[in-house]
Amino acid sequence: MELAKITLRGQITIPVGIRKKLGVKDGDKVLFIEDDNGRIIIENSVKIVLKEAQEAFKGEAERVGLKNEQDVVDMINEMRQEKRCQNASDA
């Protein structure tokens, strides 16, 4: 259990052990989330955003036919080539 004091301006210092567990450092942002039982949870905002993005893209690789890493590399190379062609035609 860790303890933090609230300043007059409502600020707290997150104890080192908690910062390490959250994976946050100077300048990072944290989220305060209320769960279904009314408890407040502090989370690393980057991890939450990444998790939400992963959920949003779940199944998309299969939908567009990406089966392995080489398929992704090939798709990126194809997109880069299309962009080069588009830039050349715009010039």
Side-chain angles (χ1 to χ4, degrees):
M1 180 180 292
E2 300 276 355
L3 183 66
K5 184 177 179 181
I6 300 173
T7 68
L8 286 172
R9 295 180 58 200
Q11 298 172 327
I12 63 170
T13 298
I14 300 172
V16 173
I18 302 298
R19 290 194 313 260
K20 285 181 180 178
K21 287 180 181 179
L22 288 172
V24 296
K25 60 187 181 330
D26 184 44
D28 287 349
K29 294 183 179 182
V30 294
L31 290 173
F32 295 88
I33 304 166
E34 185 174 359
D35 71 7
D36 294 336
N37 297 317
R39 292 177 293 203
I40 304 299
I41 302 166
I42 300 174
E43 289 284 351
N44 180 330
S45 65
V46 172
K47 289 182 180 180
I48 295 296
V49 170
L50 180 58
K51 183 178 173 183
E52 288 176 359
Q54 288 172 330
E55 285 296 317
F57 285 107
K58 189 180 248 180
E60 285 302 303
E62 293 84 9
R63 187 183 69 75
V64 296
L66 302 175
K67 297 180 185 93
N68 54 46
E69 188 175 338
Q70 187 58 50
D71 288 346
V72 174
V73 170
D74 292 344
M75 181 183 76
I76 291 169
N77 288 335
E78 182 180 319
M79 292 171 80
R80 285 178 177 161
Q81 181 62 32
E82 288 174 7
K83 185 69 173 169
R84 280 188 220 109
C85 290
Q86 182 183 29
N87 289 341
S89 68
D90 290 344

